[in-house]
Amino acid sequence: MRRRVPALAVLAVAAATVLGGCSGGEFGGVYDLPLPGGADLGDHPYEVHVEFKDVLDLVPQAGVKVNDVAVGKVAKVGLGPDGWTADVTVEVNGDVKLPANASAQLRQSSLLGEKYVELVSPNNPAGRLANGATIPLDRTNRNPEVEEVFGALSLLLNGGGIGQIQDISKQLNSALSGNEPQIRQLLTNLNTLVSNLDAHRGDITQALDGLNRLSGTLNTQRDELAGAIDNLGPGLAVLTQQRDQLVTMLNSLSALSGVAVDTVNKSQADLIADLKDLQPTLTQLAATGQNLPKSLQLLLTFPFPDSTVAGVKGDYTNLFADLDLNLGDVVSNLGRSRQSILPQLPGLGGLTGGTSGPGNGVPLPLPTGSGGNTSSGGLGGLLGGLLGGGGH
């Protein structure tokens, strides 16, 4: 709220300022004169730098407001460090606390009123705006000027869009006259299309998210993609050089396929007959089931199959055996044990021991080693008795 100050007080302040300048102080012009009714800065104001693209006709001593309440003034308007933007220095009452991420806007008190700077607190305030802080360019803006609005309106009215509305209306009438059913059908189809798109908005969003992830992946692998594209040129050059060989290979492959097809067609009956002949063998192999694999397993591990591994302790197996290769002792032992593992032969009465006669034959004669008749002594006599006694 501005306070009314008598004109006499204003003149007194101006006279004091002029006298101060004459007494040795530096006078910078009318902008150095304090305006009556300005904001109360308090005892400890702080400065904030605000960057604007364009400050229009903002001047020093202009007001600084927060929620339409005057809290400070514009101290200086200068050029930014980059030489393209404006740097506005404002002084704010020390009792006014603003967040560090506050924004600034250049506003106008009325249609033709004065300009002032409005400081706005965001929805998510963070920290506190300190003395000497800077509000960057991305957090400032300005409203359009009255002159800009009138200029755009003048462009619209004088040969702009307003003058073309009549032509547009005539063209629309000409295009729609007599085509009402088609236009109605078009609108119906458009409504159906929009409804389907709305029903699949989740899938569309998911597809866009997937496309975003794909783009991110391609972006992370752009070096590999660039290398692959760079190496693609030499590869294409090699293929171009070997074009004749590739064409020849494909032609030969085509001829080979023709010969193979002809061979298969001519041998079709023989192949079918071979397959039919092979069917019984395959059937018997299938009927063996697990017997064939198990027998092969036992054959490969004989005489120690897998079932004997559990009885082996350590890395060796103890075996105690007496092996007698004297055939006479073998036959004698068989006779004493009265057990026969040899078939009964005619004329010998069997080899089960005991008295002679059917079922009670005597053991075979033992070899004498005297060099007598080969039919009754030694291994020859044994074989002779076995073969001759049978009448074969």
Side-chain angles (χ1 to χ4, degrees):
M1 180 181 294
R2 293 185 178 274
R3 296 173 294 177
R4 295 183 178 275
V5 180
L8 184 60
V10 176
L11 294 176
V13 172
T17 305
V18 173
L19 292 176
C22 294
S23 61
E26 184 179 354
F27 180 64
V30 70
Y31 288 136
D32 289 342
L33 299 177
L35 295 179
D40 184 11
L41 299 180
D43 297 333
H44 303 286
Y46 61 94
E47 290 186 353
V48 177
H49 295 272
V50 184
E51 297 178 354
F52 287 102
K53 289 184 178 179
D54 186 4
V55 292
L56 302 176
D57 55 350
L58 183 69
V59 295
Q61 304 299 330
V64 177
K65 296 183 179 181
V66 175
N67 295 331
D68 292 333
V69 178
V71 297
K73 67 177 182 178
V74 176
K76 181 181 178 182
V77 178
L79 193 63
D82 57 356
W84 295 96
T85 58
D87 183 11
V88 179
T89 304
V90 299
E91 295 181 353
V92 184
N93 192 316
D95 296 332
V96 178
K97 297 179 176 60
L98 294 172
N101 56 348
S103 60
Q105 299 177 358
L106 189 60
R107 294 189 177 275
Q108 197 168 358
S109 59
S110 62
L111 186 61
L112 299 176
E114 63 177 355
K115 303 293 189 302
Y116 67 91
V117 177
E118 182 179 12
L119 301 179
V120 182
S121 178
N123 295 329
N124 51 346
R128 181 178 177 181
L129 196 62
N131 184 27
T134 300
I135 299 178
L137 195 63
D138 57 353
R139 297 208 305 265
T140 62
N141 64 357
R142 69 176 182 87
N143 292 332
E145 287 288 292
V146 177
E147 293 84 354
E148 296 174 349
V149 175
F150 285 157
L153 183 59
S154 175
L155 179 63
L156 179 63
L157 296 176
N158 298 326
I162 296 295
Q164 298 175 358
I165 290 179
Q166 184 178 3
D167 297 335
I168 295 174
S169 300
K170 290 181 179 180
Q171 295 297 331
L172 285 176
N173 291 331
S174 300
L176 298 179
S177 297
N179 298 321
E180 289 82 2
Q182 292 82 354
I183 298 300
R184 188 178 296 107
Q185 183 65 28
L186 175 61
L187 294 177
T188 302
N189 295 336
L190 183 61
N191 184 29
T192 304
L193 174 62
V194 174
S195 300
N196 291 334
L197 291 177
D198 182 68
H200 295 84
R201 60 182 181 273
D203 298 335
I204 295 175
T205 303
Q206 185 176 2
L208 292 177
D209 293 338
L211 183 61
N212 185 29
R213 291 192 298 270
L214 176 62
S215 301
T217 303
L218 293 178
N219 184 41
T220 56
Q221 297 180 356
R222 59 182 181 274
D223 296 336
E224 291 81 357
L225 293 176
I229 294 175
D230 294 338
N231 296 327
L232 189 61
L236 294 177
V238 173
L239 291 177
T240 302
Q241 295 174 0
Q242 298 180 354
R243 180 178 179 274
D244 297 336
Q245 292 85 340
L246 292 175
V247 173
T248 303
M249 181 190 68
L250 292 177
N251 292 331
S252 301
L253 184 61
S254 177
L256 176 62
S257 63
V259 173
V261 171
D262 183 66
T263 303
V264 171
N265 291 332
K266 291 182 178 179
S267 62
Q268 178 180 1
D270 298 336
L271 181 61
I272 294 176
D274 294 340
L275 293 177
K276 289 182 178 180
D277 295 338
L278 189 61
Q279 180 180 1
T281 303
L282 297 178
T283 303
Q284 295 299 324
L285 288 177
T288 59
Q290 297 295 327
N291 295 330
L292 182 60
K294 290 182 178 179
S295 62
L296 293 177
Q297 180 181 5
L298 180 62
L299 179 63
L300 294 176
T301 58
F302 183 83
F304 299 103
D306 294 340
S307 58
T308 61
V309 175
V312 177
K313 306 299 181 181
D315 55 354
Y316 61 92
T317 301
N318 292 327
L319 175 65
F320 299 95
D322 293 332
L323 183 61
D324 189 356
L325 299 180
N326 192 336
L327 186 58
D329 295 338
V330 172
V331 175
S332 299
N333 292 332
L334 292 175
R336 287 194 297 271
S337 63
R338 305 183 65 83
Q339 297 178 357
S340 176
I341 60 173
L342 299 177
Q344 294 190 8
L345 301 177
L348 294 179
L351 295 175
T352 60
T355 59
S356 63
N360 294 316
V362 297
L364 292 175
L366 298 177
T368 59
S370 59
N373 191 354
T374 59
S375 63
S376 61
L379 183 59
L382 175 61
L383 297 177
L386 292 174
L387 298 176
H392 295 287

